[in-house]
Short mmCIF file of all heavy atoms in Angstrom, two decimals:
data_model
loop_
_atom_site.label_atom_id
_atom_site.label_comp_id
_atom_site.label_asym_id
_atom_site.label_seq_id
_atom_site.Cartn_x
_atom_site.Cartn_y
_atom_site.Cartn_z
N ASP A 474 108.57 99.85 111.39
CA ASP A 474 108.60 101.30 111.55
C ASP A 474 107.23 101.81 111.96
O ASP A 474 106.21 101.22 111.62
CB ASP A 474 108.98 101.98 110.22
CG ASP A 474 110.46 102.32 110.16
OD1 ASP A 474 111.04 102.64 111.21
OD2 ASP A 474 111.01 102.28 109.06
N ASP A 475 107.22 102.91 112.68
CA ASP A 475 105.99 103.65 112.94
C ASP A 475 106.01 104.89 112.07
O ASP A 475 107.03 105.58 111.99
CB ASP A 475 105.92 104.08 114.41
CG ASP A 475 105.62 102.90 115.33
OD1 ASP A 475 104.94 101.97 114.88
OD2 ASP A 475 106.07 102.93 116.47
N LEU A 476 104.90 105.16 111.42
CA LEU A 476 104.89 106.33 110.55
C LEU A 476 103.52 106.99 110.55
O LEU A 476 102.51 106.38 110.90
CB LEU A 476 105.30 105.95 109.13
CG LEU A 476 104.46 104.92 108.38
CD1 LEU A 476 103.47 105.62 107.47
CD2 LEU A 476 105.37 104.03 107.56
N ARG A 477 103.54 108.26 110.17
CA ARG A 477 102.31 109.02 110.02
C ARG A 477 102.16 109.36 108.55
O ARG A 477 103.11 109.81 107.92
CB ARG A 477 102.39 110.30 110.85
CG ARG A 477 101.16 111.21 110.71
CD ARG A 477 101.27 112.42 111.58
NE ARG A 477 101.12 112.04 113.00
CZ ARG A 477 101.43 112.86 114.01
NH1 ARG A 477 101.89 114.05 113.78
NH2 ARG A 477 101.27 112.45 115.25
N VAL A 478 100.96 109.10 108.03
CA VAL A 478 100.67 109.45 106.65
C VAL A 478 100.20 110.89 106.62
O VAL A 478 99.25 111.26 107.31
CB VAL A 478 99.59 108.51 106.06
CG1 VAL A 478 99.26 108.92 104.63
CG2 VAL A 478 100.07 107.07 106.11
N LEU A 479 100.91 111.73 105.87
CA LEU A 479 100.61 113.15 105.80
C LEU A 479 100.34 113.52 104.35
O LEU A 479 100.73 112.81 103.43
CB LEU A 479 101.81 113.95 106.32
CG LEU A 479 102.10 113.80 107.81
CD1 LEU A 479 103.54 114.14 108.13
CD2 LEU A 479 101.16 114.70 108.60
N PRO A 480 99.68 114.66 104.12
CA PRO A 480 99.50 115.09 102.74
C PRO A 480 100.86 115.32 102.08
O PRO A 480 101.64 116.15 102.52
CB PRO A 480 98.74 116.41 102.88
CG PRO A 480 98.06 116.32 104.22
CD PRO A 480 99.03 115.54 105.08
N GLY A 481 101.17 114.53 101.06
CA GLY A 481 102.40 114.72 100.30
C GLY A 481 103.64 114.14 100.91
O GLY A 481 104.72 114.25 100.33
N GLU A 482 103.53 113.49 102.06
CA GLU A 482 104.73 112.89 102.65
C GLU A 482 104.39 111.87 103.72
O GLU A 482 103.28 111.83 104.24
CB GLU A 482 105.65 113.97 103.24
CG GLU A 482 105.03 114.73 104.39
CD GLU A 482 105.92 115.85 104.90
OE1 GLU A 482 106.94 116.15 104.25
OE2 GLU A 482 105.60 116.40 105.96
N LEU A 483 105.41 111.05 104.00
CA LEU A 483 105.34 110.11 105.11
C LEU A 483 106.25 110.63 106.22
O LEU A 483 107.36 111.07 105.96
CB LEU A 483 105.81 108.72 104.68
CG LEU A 483 104.97 108.02 103.61
CD1 LEU A 483 105.69 106.76 103.14
CD2 LEU A 483 103.60 107.68 104.14
N GLY A 484 105.77 110.59 107.44
CA GLY A 484 106.58 111.02 108.57
C GLY A 484 106.91 109.83 109.46
O GLY A 484 106.03 109.17 109.99
N PHE A 485 108.21 109.56 109.59
CA PHE A 485 108.66 108.45 110.42
C PHE A 485 109.08 108.98 111.78
O PHE A 485 109.73 110.03 111.88
CB PHE A 485 109.86 107.74 109.77
CG PHE A 485 109.49 107.06 108.49
CD1 PHE A 485 109.47 107.77 107.29
CD2 PHE A 485 109.15 105.73 108.47
CE1 PHE A 485 109.12 107.16 106.11
CE2 PHE A 485 108.79 105.10 107.30
CZ PHE A 485 108.78 105.82 106.10
N GLY A 486 108.73 108.23 112.83
CA GLY A 486 109.09 108.70 114.16
C GLY A 486 108.78 107.66 115.20
O GLY A 486 108.84 106.47 114.93
N TYR A 487 108.43 108.15 116.39
CA TYR A 487 108.20 107.23 117.49
C TYR A 487 107.17 107.85 118.43
O TYR A 487 107.06 109.07 118.52
CB TYR A 487 109.51 106.97 118.24
CG TYR A 487 110.18 108.24 118.71
CD1 TYR A 487 109.92 108.75 119.99
CD2 TYR A 487 111.03 108.96 117.87
CE1 TYR A 487 110.51 109.93 120.41
CE2 TYR A 487 111.63 110.13 118.29
CZ TYR A 487 111.36 110.60 119.57
OH TYR A 487 111.94 111.78 119.97
N PRO A 488 106.40 106.99 119.12
CA PRO A 488 105.45 107.50 120.10
C PRO A 488 106.20 108.01 121.32
O PRO A 488 107.19 107.43 121.75
CB PRO A 488 104.61 106.27 120.46
CG PRO A 488 105.04 105.17 119.56
CD PRO A 488 106.40 105.52 119.04
N HIS A 489 105.74 109.13 121.84
CA HIS A 489 106.32 109.69 123.05
C HIS A 489 105.15 110.12 123.92
O HIS A 489 104.50 111.11 123.63
CB HIS A 489 107.23 110.87 122.71
CG HIS A 489 107.85 111.51 123.91
ND1 HIS A 489 108.93 110.96 124.56
CD2 HIS A 489 107.53 112.63 124.59
CE1 HIS A 489 109.25 111.73 125.60
NE2 HIS A 489 108.41 112.75 125.63
N GLY A 490 104.86 109.34 124.97
CA GLY A 490 103.66 109.60 125.74
C GLY A 490 102.45 109.44 124.86
O GLY A 490 102.28 108.42 124.21
N ARG A 491 101.61 110.46 124.80
CA ARG A 491 100.39 110.38 124.01
C ARG A 491 100.56 111.05 122.65
O ARG A 491 99.58 111.25 121.94
CB ARG A 491 99.24 111.05 124.78
CG ARG A 491 98.95 110.35 126.10
CD ARG A 491 98.08 111.20 126.99
NE ARG A 491 96.75 111.38 126.42
CZ ARG A 491 95.71 110.59 126.71
NH1 ARG A 491 95.85 109.62 127.57
NH2 ARG A 491 94.53 110.80 126.17
N ARG A 492 101.77 111.43 122.31
CA ARG A 492 102.02 112.10 121.03
C ARG A 492 102.91 111.23 120.17
O ARG A 492 103.60 110.34 120.66
CB ARG A 492 102.74 113.44 121.27
CG ARG A 492 102.05 114.36 122.27
CD ARG A 492 100.98 115.18 121.60
NE ARG A 492 101.53 115.95 120.48
CZ ARG A 492 102.08 117.16 120.63
NH1 ARG A 492 102.17 117.70 121.81
NH2 ARG A 492 102.53 117.81 119.58
N PHE A 493 102.87 111.53 118.88
CA PHE A 493 103.78 110.85 117.95
C PHE A 493 104.73 111.89 117.39
O PHE A 493 104.30 112.89 116.80
CB PHE A 493 102.97 110.18 116.83
CG PHE A 493 103.83 109.41 115.87
CD1 PHE A 493 104.32 108.16 116.19
CD2 PHE A 493 104.17 109.95 114.64
CE1 PHE A 493 105.11 107.44 115.31
CE2 PHE A 493 104.96 109.24 113.74
CZ PHE A 493 105.43 107.99 114.08
N HIS A 494 106.02 111.67 117.61
CA HIS A 494 107.02 112.63 117.14
C HIS A 494 107.56 112.20 115.78
O HIS A 494 108.09 111.10 115.65
CB HIS A 494 108.18 112.72 118.12
CG HIS A 494 107.86 113.54 119.32
ND1 HIS A 494 108.17 114.87 119.43
CD2 HIS A 494 107.22 113.20 120.46
CE1 HIS A 494 107.74 115.33 120.59
NE2 HIS A 494 107.16 114.35 121.23
N VAL A 495 107.42 113.08 114.80
CA VAL A 495 107.96 112.79 113.47
C VAL A 495 109.41 113.25 113.41
O VAL A 495 109.73 114.39 113.73
CB VAL A 495 107.13 113.50 112.38
CG1 VAL A 495 107.81 113.36 111.02
CG2 VAL A 495 105.73 112.93 112.32
N GLN A 496 110.30 112.31 113.03
CA GLN A 496 111.72 112.60 112.96
C GLN A 496 112.22 112.74 111.53
O GLN A 496 112.98 113.63 111.21
CB GLN A 496 112.50 111.46 113.62
CG GLN A 496 113.14 111.86 114.93
CD GLN A 496 113.98 110.73 115.50
OE1 GLN A 496 113.83 109.58 115.14
NE2 GLN A 496 114.85 111.08 116.42
N ASP A 497 111.80 111.81 110.69
CA ASP A 497 112.26 111.80 109.31
C ASP A 497 111.06 111.86 108.38
O ASP A 497 110.04 111.25 108.66
CB ASP A 497 113.06 110.52 109.00
CG ASP A 497 114.30 110.41 109.85
OD1 ASP A 497 115.13 111.34 109.80
OD2 ASP A 497 114.41 109.43 110.60
N ARG A 498 111.23 112.58 107.31
CA ARG A 498 110.13 112.71 106.35
C ARG A 498 110.57 112.24 104.98
O ARG A 498 111.69 112.49 104.56
CB ARG A 498 109.67 114.18 106.26
CG ARG A 498 109.00 114.65 107.54
CD ARG A 498 108.87 116.16 107.57
NE ARG A 498 108.37 116.61 108.87
CZ ARG A 498 107.08 116.80 109.13
NH1 ARG A 498 106.18 116.62 108.20
NH2 ARG A 498 106.70 117.20 110.33
N VAL A 499 109.67 111.52 104.32
CA VAL A 499 109.91 111.07 102.95
C VAL A 499 108.81 111.67 102.09
O VAL A 499 107.62 111.45 102.35
CB VAL A 499 109.89 109.53 102.85
CG1 VAL A 499 109.95 109.08 101.40
CG2 VAL A 499 111.05 108.93 103.64
#
Side-chain angles (χ1 to χ4, degrees):
D474 263 327
D475 287 329
L476 60 97
R477 178 178 288 167
V478 178
L479 292 157
E482 64 184 10
L483 296 172
F485 294 84
Y487 55 92
H489 179 78
R491 298 166 66 93
R492 307 275 303 274
F493 182 79
H494 282 265
V495 172
Q496 250 184 342
D497 298 303
R498 292 166 187 267
V499 172

